[in-house]
Amino acid sequence: MLYSVDKKGFYGDFGGAFIPEMLYANIEELKNKYLEIIDEPDFQAEMNHLLKDYVGRPSPLYYAKRLSQHFNARIYLKREDLNHTGAHKINNTIGQILLAQRLGKTRIIAETGAGQHGVATATVCALMGLECIVYMGEVDIARQAPNVSRMKMLGAKVVPATSGSKTLKDATNEAIRDWINNPTDTHYIIGSVVGPHPYPDMVARFQAVISEEMKWQLKEQTGSQDPDIIIACVGGGSNAAGAFYHYLDSEKVRLVAVEAAGLGVDSGESAATSVLGTKGIIHGSRTLLMQTEDGQIIEPYSISAGLDYPGIGPLHSHLIVSKRAEAISITDQEALDAAFLVTRLEGIIPALESAHAFAAMHYLKYRSEDVIVINLSGRGDKDLSTYIKILES
Amino acid sequence: MNRIDQLFQYKKEGVLNIYFTAGFPALDDTTKIILALDKAGVDIIEIGMPYSDPMADGPTIQESGSKALKNGMTLNVLFDQLKNIRTKTQVPLLFMGYLNQMMQFGVDRFLNSCQQVGIDGLIIPDLPVDIYEEELKDKIENSGLHVIFLITPQTSESRIRKIDDLAKGFIYMVSSASITGAKSDISKSQLDYFKMVDTLQLKNPRLIGFGISNHDTFFQACQYAHGAIIGSAFIRHLETAENGVEDAVDTFVRSLRGNH
């Protein structure tokens, strides 16, 4: 089975570039140049330097002793929460900003849900001295206020997306429109493994550093580079793509993609795409998405702004449909409970998104000797107001 | 013969194509608007199939689509509204919408329904040329429908020629790098682009769209192409209509044509 992208930009039946002609030249330029640019020694050197000295990589792989006792397994946490800006998102924005510079672009746009990708984009734009515009749903601006302030302090302009559900999907629509209107000077830094080819593959490559490090860290700590199970949350799916990347062809390593069930998969307020989704087109990609019979995209719901997306990246659709990955859906309440469990057992406050990955332990079938890596994609500072409400109730 | 081809056989200039969103302002305005546009002398009518996430459209068309969806518009409703339209008008009719709508309705079922009600062509901005060639060209050509392709100022000459080879009916020239409804004047660089394409001697007629909003921009565009397409400006006019959609159509088309 082939899990990498094919020449036409598809993962099996999913992917491609379903874009209007207005974006053709931009996407074609990216498609023709991204691999060549990424492979340049000078690009690699600059990226690796920034990942090490600016982001703080490698991120630790930490054996979570008390959590392991609690679940009777051997649980390791990949600490992406310790990266500069507090999540895995910066791995991708470092790569893309270097790419944008080499393409001669001077203006950067991005979409953001939880604000983590927006902050990571605003950060690298400040670092490189480039203009930065971040589209963010009006609803998300309200529920992720600290990240909005961070982006503004970093010099980015935060533009509210006021159409549709006013969340990540709509912010992405607005960013695509901005790119249509500004095709020559602008690079669009997509934050997840979504969108038209080559974005899903490009973002996965920039996030692949997560599993690249996991291999030698696991070898050091357990004697084997292969864990039994890797668990990661999936909105669009970039942290999961990075955590799975170097294990895609190691079929005995189980890959678990954790989606947001919101108020429950059957509640009508959910973002569990692999259960509720069917094949369709969203943001230029053929993938699984939540839609009506008439092909209208359904507005998703999750307490977690980063998982509140009606589709998943085409790689994940392919992995789930081909049964290479297992999907588990976790409700808001289960994620909140897991966030408090991890905090009290390990002294780590996880992002609400990552809390979904921890909650999946309750549903997962495993043996006590299994080595399980949970990708701790981000820290929970941005979710404190949500957590504090629970503490006070 | 396809009605679009018939039109361009006798009309080579000043072709007026007007877009409206099906089910807007009211659900049952669809046929009223078509018949009024026909009566007012509009040459081609583009019927927008409202979509939740219209990537290539600006706020005016997106909002009209959201209202139409709230009004209850679906493809089933639309085909039902149009089932007797060919007993009343022979004006060329196009559907404009997104690929996902066609996919979910079922491509074969969609094409059959289009044929039955008498649709002449499709504009699907997110249908890539290569996917059209590989997956849909034969089916769509067999159904007698024309797929209208877009070109933009960023489209290279070699790609314009490739699109011209594939295209049927006419080529939709996007006037500038933009979503629909974005601009109000025609700039020097746009004129240069219109003139450049004019010299390519393409086999298909060309209509200019995006940012064409009034008498002046319509006639400017018509100097360099066979005609022009107006969408957002018409939607905005419908929104302010006080004496019913028929009257709104009449006043709008009159203001466009002016004394010409």
Side-chain angles (χ1 to χ4, degrees):
Chain A
M1 195 75 183
L2 180 75
Y3 299 112
S4 52
V5 77
D6 69 19
K7 275 186 188 147
K8 289 183 175 168
F10 284 87
Y11 301 88
D13 207 17
F14 301 104
F18 295 84
I19 45 157
E21 185 63 25
M22 290 82 93
L23 286 177
Y24 178 83
N26 279 10
I27 293 293
E28 195 67 7
E29 180 186 33
L30 258 190
K31 193 179 86 184
N32 291 334
K33 291 186 180 164
Y34 82 110
L35 291 177
E36 194 186 312
I37 292 176
I38 293 174
D39 284 340
E40 281 167 11
D42 154 74
F43 180 94
Q44 283 290 324
E46 193 173 356
M47 184 173 78
N48 290 334
H49 156 68
L50 287 172
L51 288 177
K52 177 170 172 282
D53 296 332
Y54 185 71
V55 174
R57 302 204 72 90
S59 69
L61 184 76
Y62 164 71
Y63 177 64
K65 193 173 156 198
R66 298 188 70 209
L67 200 66
S68 294
Q69 282 167 353
H70 180 88
F71 283 111
N72 191 27
R74 296 162 67 195
I75 300 175
Y76 290 81
L77 309 183
K78 182 59 175 159
R79 298 292 307 274
E80 293 299 303
D81 60 317
L82 293 178
N83 292 337
H84 178 43
T85 71
H88 69 291
K89 291 291 187 189
I90 193 145
N91 303 328
N92 168 48
T93 60
I94 290 275
Q96 284 204 50
I97 200 85
L98 295 176
L99 189 86
Q101 285 182 320
R102 280 156 179 81
L103 291 171
K105 305 290 184 177
T106 54
R107 181 175 174 272
I108 300 296
I109 57 171
E111 84 297 335
T112 196
Q116 289 303 105
H117 174 59
V119 167
T121 304
T123 298
V124 296
C125 286
L127 180 68
M128 300 300 176
L130 294 177
E131 184 186 357
C132 181
I133 294 105
V134 179
Y135 291 90
M136 187 169 187
E138 219 172 35
V139 169
D140 293 337
I141 287 179
R143 62 178 164 174
Q144 302 287 341
N147 274 343
V148 176
S149 304
R150 290 166 82 194
M151 284 185 269
K152 287 182 178 163
M153 178 152 181
L154 287 159
K157 185 176 161 202
V158 180
V159 181
T162 56
S163 61
S165 55
K166 304 178 177 61
T167 61
L168 180 54
K169 156 179 99 79
D170 312 286
T172 309
N173 288 336
E174 293 307 324
I176 290 172
R177 289 174 178 146
D178 180 308
W179 209 22
I180 289 175
N181 286 329
N182 300 283
T184 49
D185 64 343
T186 298
H187 176 68
Y188 176 18
I189 300 190
I190 295 186
S192 194
V193 287
V194 302
H197 177 68
Y199 277 103
D201 183 53
M202 182 168 70
V203 176
R205 282 168 189 267
F206 289 139
Q207 292 295 355
V209 66
I210 299 172
S211 48
E212 193 184 308
E213 291 171 0
M214 271 163 54
K215 282 195 151 183
W216 61 260
Q217 289 171 322
L218 280 166
K219 176 89 179 159
E220 248 175 41
Q221 295 185 41
T222 70
S224 165
Q225 63 172 12
D226 289 354
D228 296 288
I229 303 169
I230 302 170
I231 307 176
C233 63
V234 174
S238 69
N239 90 77
F244 296 168
Y245 195 87
H246 288 284
Y247 293 102
L248 289 172
D249 296 320
S250 310
E251 304 260 358
K252 67 181 200 328
V253 178
R254 287 168 60 195
L255 308 176
V256 179
V258 185
E259 297 181 312
L263 300 182
V265 168
D266 300 319
S267 67
E269 298 288 335
S270 180
T273 306
S274 74
V275 186
L276 301 169
T278 51
K279 194 166 75 175
I281 293 168
I282 182 169
H283 299 139
S285 178
R286 184 155 74 195
T287 192
L288 295 176
L289 65 112
M290 291 164 39
Q291 56 185 326
T292 66
E293 277 180 10
D294 230 29
Q296 308 292 343
I297 295 172
I298 291 174
E299 297 175 0
Y301 165 78
S302 165
I303 191 173
S304 143
L307 303 182
D308 200 351
Y309 185 71
I312 48 174
L315 166 66
H316 295 299
S317 293
H318 181 51
L319 293 178
I320 290 169
V321 167
S322 66
K323 308 243 186 273
R324 174 69 188 93
E326 307 157 44
I328 291 177
S329 9
I330 294 300
T331 63
D332 290 356
Q333 190 57 52
E334 290 166 334
L336 286 167
D337 292 344
F340 278 87
L341 181 76
V342 176
T343 304
R344 298 289 165 89
L345 285 178
E346 297 292 347
I348 297 170
I349 302 175
L352 262 172
E353 290 75 18
S354 320
H356 284 73
F358 286 95
M361 286 301 295
H362 295 294
Y363 294 96
L364 193 69
K365 289 199 178 75
Y366 58 89
R367 302 160 303 175
S368 60
E369 65 270 28
D370 280 346
V371 170
I372 301 173
V373 177
I374 298 177
N375 197 33
L376 178 41
S377 56
R379 56 179 176 244
D381 309 26
K382 68 182 178 60
D383 299 309
L384 270 186
S385 66
T386 308
Y387 293 154
I388 287 167
K389 266 185 222 150
I390 308 260
L391 272 180
E392 288 171 350
S393 66
Chain B
M1 190 192 264
N2 187 299
R3 293 177 196 88
I4 303 168
D5 299 334
Q6 280 175 13
L7 170 77
F8 284 107
Q9 270 192 345
Y10 73 85
K11 190 153 184 176
K12 312 275 186 202
E13 58 185 24
V15 170
L16 174 59
N17 175 336
I18 286 197
Y19 168 97
F20 76 100
T21 301
F24 174 87
L27 182 64
D28 57 2
D29 281 338
T30 313
T31 52
K32 283 186 215 162
I33 291 174
I34 292 171
L35 297 176
L37 286 169
D38 183 32
K39 192 176 158 203
V42 169
D43 300 300
I44 303 177
I45 298 170
E46 212 181 297
I47 305 166
M49 307 185 288
Y51 189 50
S52 57
D53 293 74
M55 192 185 347
D57 287 305
T60 305
I61 290 181
Q62 174 161 20
E63 276 159 31
S64 69
S66 302
K67 278 187 195 153
L69 291 171
K70 275 193 197 125
N71 289 342
M73 183 50 76
T74 65
L75 283 179
N76 281 320
V77 169
L78 181 57
F79 282 122
D80 193 54
Q81 289 177 343
L82 295 176
K83 68 181 177 216
N84 297 318
I85 197 73
R86 285 305 177 201
T87 62
K88 294 165 193 152
T89 172
Q90 291 308 308
V91 66
L93 293 174
L94 304 172
F95 270 163
M96 189 278 178
Y98 289 81
L99 185 54
N100 199 43
Q101 297 175 281
M102 202 165 125
M103 265 174 71
Q104 304 313 321
F105 194 80
V107 171
D108 293 327
R109 188 176 154 224
F110 180 80
L111 294 174
N112 282 338
S113 305
C114 286
Q115 241 179 322
Q116 273 169 23
V117 300
I119 297 297
D120 303 290
L122 304 173
I123 302 177
I124 311 160
D126 63 341
L127 170 60
V129 171
D130 53 338
I131 296 277
Y132 169 73
E133 271 186 290
E134 283 163 32
E135 298 182 10
L136 295 170
K137 185 168 178 274
D138 292 346
K139 270 185 187 176
I140 295 181
E141 285 189 350
N142 287 338
S143 70
L145 289 161
H146 289 349
V147 173
I148 311 300
F149 287 101
L150 275 58
I151 63 170
T152 81
Q154 272 72 42
T155 311
S156 66
E157 184 183 331
S158 62
R159 188 167 166 83
I160 292 176
R161 297 216 179 271
K162 182 189 163 141
I163 288 171
D164 189 41
D165 275 343
L166 271 180
K168 294 250 174 98
F170 65 90
I171 286 177
Y172 193 136
M173 276 179 70
V174 175
S175 66
S176 66
S178 74
I179 51 175
T180 55
K183 309 235 164 52
S184 56
D185 298 319
I186 293 180
S187 69
K188 164 93 173 47
S189 66
Q190 283 174 281
L191 285 179
D192 290 344
Y193 156 66
F194 298 164
K195 285 177 195 163
M196 187 280 286
V197 178
D198 204 18
T199 63
L200 296 181
Q201 297 190 312
L202 303 180
K203 70 178 172 64
N204 286 288
R206 287 161 285 119
L207 299 183
I208 294 175
F210 286 40
I212 311 298
S213 58
N214 53 25
H215 176 88
D216 289 351
T217 45
F218 176 68
F219 278 94
Q220 230 178 333
C222 285
Q223 285 173 24
Y224 305 99
H226 300 74
I229 304 168
I230 297 176
S232 300
F234 179 60
I235 301 285
R236 279 195 297 272
H237 186 79
L238 281 179
E239 273 172 339
T240 57
E242 283 172 359
N243 303 317
V245 291
E246 285 96 343
D247 178 69
V249 167
D250 189 57
T251 52
F252 186 80
V253 176
R254 247 193 253 234
S255 75
L256 270 184
R257 294 275 196 202
N259 297 324
H260 289 256

